[in-house]
Amino acid sequence: MAACLPLICLLVSVTAIAADFSPERYWNTALPNTPIPNSLRHLFTPDFTDEKSTNVQVGKGGVNVNAGKGKPGGGTAVNVGKGGVHVDTGKGKGTHVSVSGGKGPGGGVGVHTGKPGKRTDVGVGKGGVIVHTRHKGKPVYVGVKPGPNPFVYNYAASKTQLHDDPKAALFFLEKDMVPGKEMNLRFNAEDGYDGKTAFLPRGEAETMPFESEKFSEILKTFSVKPGSGEAEMMKKTIEECEAKRVGGEEKYCATSLESMVDFSVSKLGKDHVRAISTEVAQKNAPMQRYIIAAAGVKKLSDDKSVVCHKQKYPFAVFYCHKAMMTSVYAVPLEGENGLRAKAVAVCHKNTSAWNPNHLAFKVLKVKPGTVPVCHFLPETHVVWFSY
């Protein structure tokens, strides 16, 4: 195959950079045989799904790039002339690519995707590729008080958490996971924001500071007032991600879907791996009584797993940890008024390294390392396991 002209190669490279922004496409490439759980699919931003594709054609007339489904006004026009290259996609809402010549700072390639003020800028020049994300607005606080994360095992429960945190009900003993057992549960407790905490593409997420020493910069990025409830939740999430690991646990905070996939695959492999979440038939179902269905409990894995817990943050961040000696179960539940749930439960067989004042021990009235401790996963959390 003949080598392409430098300008054409550059345009194709820029198109590839833009295409790489799709988290869904990354998943399907890395894990072609693993379905995406609905809990994760719901966190994809509309601008980065695979509903649209881009085709590049090179002919005598120059370069023609068509993006979208072929709808009038929805494609991409590329003009190549002496003044450089200009690419404009669809009604001013898509991607703009400009290529200018010269040796000065103005030379190079600029790519701007999305609506003004809510878009990603990619600059290609002598210094390499620079991605700058314009944040999508201030996160909306919904009144959830920051407190110890019950799924981070080196934290002690707060004085009020036992009664105030709906996640407290998700802990139970393995011996109680039998048909007919009744439990009061709420699976979709609010995560702290208004539901707009979607995934950022990895290229975007990696430009965002995510460490305590840059917290002031983080607050400015998201227009969050220091000392506010939003700020406290964000600070708590970062601190938990930076905290030391528990026992032989391996932990990682994934700030993108791509990084979550990479971490999980590095611990479990990719040939026989599944990712599943709890599914409840009713949206925003309240705390209510469930009964473990007579159909029974199914053990899915009995060795190692990676559990990823969604955190309170302006965009989707997951606290992931791999621990040995864990079991994963599928638990069918029947709630009040016929409400059904397909719950996922994780049982930890060795809790000796956990904080002795952890919420689970307070709820279950047991001591660390004595009995397996189990918990259901909220709808927004994911467990990865080999099969």
Side-chain angles (χ1 to χ4, degrees):
M1 180 177 178
C4 61
L5 296 174
L7 180 58
I8 303 305
C9 289
L10 187 56
L11 283 172
V12 173
S13 297
V14 170
T15 302
I17 291 171
D20 189 52
F21 283 160
S22 168
E24 183 175 10
R25 184 173 302 170
Y26 188 88
W27 178 293
N28 291 333
T29 300
L31 299 168
N33 300 316
T34 304
I36 304 174
N38 289 334
S39 62
L40 295 182
R41 190 180 295 277
H42 292 162
L43 300 179
F44 294 161
T45 56
D47 291 340
F48 295 103
T49 61
D50 279 341
E51 294 178 357
K52 300 181 180 179
S53 60
T54 301
N55 299 315
V56 180
Q57 298 176 344
V58 181
K60 292 182 179 180
V63 181
N64 182 35
V65 181
N66 295 315
K69 298 181 178 180
K71 297 181 180 179
T76 302
V78 181
N79 298 314
V80 182
K82 293 182 179 180
V85 179
H86 177 70
V87 181
D88 183 26
T89 62
K91 298 181 180 180
K93 297 182 179 181
T95 302
H96 306 273
V97 179
S98 59
V99 181
S100 59
K103 298 181 180 180
V109 179
V111 181
H112 312 284
T113 65
K115 298 179 181 179
K118 297 183 178 181
R119 66 191 190 188
T120 300
D121 300 330
V122 181
V124 182
K126 291 184 178 180
V129 179
I130 300 174
V131 180
H132 175 67
T133 301
R134 305 183 185 186
H135 70 82
K136 298 175 175 58
K138 180 181 177 180
V140 180
Y141 179 55
V142 295
V144 177
K145 296 179 180 179
N149 185 338
F151 304 116
V152 178
Y153 305 122
N154 59 350
Y155 282 105
S158 66
K159 293 181 180 179
T160 60
Q161 192 174 13
L162 182 61
H163 303 289
D164 295 345
D165 192 341
K167 294 185 179 70
L170 298 179
F171 289 95
F172 62 96
L173 296 177
E174 190 174 32
K175 68 180 183 63
D176 292 328
M177 194 162 37
V178 294
K181 177 66 178 180
E182 296 184 3
M183 301 178 180
N184 290 319
L185 303 168
R186 183 186 175 194
F187 288 104
N188 47 11
E190 182 58 61
D191 70 355
Y193 287 93
D194 66 349
K196 296 181 180 179
T197 54
F199 280 116
L200 295 182
R202 175 154 57 184
E204 240 180 280
E206 289 180 350
T207 67
M208 297 285 187
F210 191 77
E211 53 260 21
S212 296
E213 62 183 24
K214 294 185 178 180
F215 192 61
S216 296
E217 180 183 345
I218 293 172
L219 295 182
K220 290 180 181 178
T221 299
F222 293 101
S223 303
V224 175
K225 183 179 179 181
S228 63
E230 300 99 314
E232 289 301 312
M233 285 194 298
M234 294 166 64
K235 182 179 180 181
K236 191 68 177 177
T237 290
I238 294 173
E239 288 176 346
E240 289 172 352
C241 288
E242 294 175 339
K244 64 179 182 179
R245 62 182 187 176
V246 177
E249 172 187 67
E250 296 180 60
K251 52 172 283 191
Y252 174 73
C253 275
T255 58
S256 66
L257 178 74
E258 297 93 324
S259 60
M260 186 200 303
V261 169
D262 287 353
F263 176 76
S264 301
V265 167
S266 71
K267 303 306 174 186
L268 303 172
K270 67 176 182 179
D271 295 331
H272 299 282
V273 63
R274 285 187 63 192
I276 59 172
S277 299
T278 293
E279 296 183 6
V280 182
Q282 178 182 329
K283 185 178 180 181
N284 297 323
M287 177 79 75
Q288 61 185 287
R289 180 174 57 87
Y290 288 90
I291 298 176
I292 297 180
V297 176
K298 181 180 179 180
K299 181 179 286 189
L300 303 175
S301 176
D302 196 28
D303 180 15
K304 58 185 178 181
S305 60
V306 173
V307 187
C308 294
H309 307 283
K310 191 166 186 290
Q311 301 299 100
K312 300 171 183 177
Y313 209 70
F315 60 88
V317 172
F318 281 77
Y319 179 101
C320 299
H321 55 115
K322 189 205 86 169
M324 305 300 289
M325 300 181 67
T326 59
S327 299
V328 179
Y329 293 90
V331 185
L333 299 172
E334 296 178 354
E336 297 175 351
N337 301 322
L339 178 64
R340 294 179 181 273
K342 298 177 181 178
V344 177
V346 177
C347 292
H348 301 268
K349 301 174 185 177
N350 183 4
T351 61
S352 57
W354 292 20
N355 189 306
N357 292 313
H358 186 272
L359 181 62
F361 303 133
K362 299 292 185 181
V363 172
L364 303 175
K365 296 180 173 58
V366 297
K367 295 182 178 181
T370 56
V371 294
V373 170
C374 305
H375 62 79
F376 289 113
L377 291 182
E379 285 185 287
T380 53
H381 299 199
V382 184
V383 61
W384 302 70
F385 61 93
S386 300
Y387 63 92

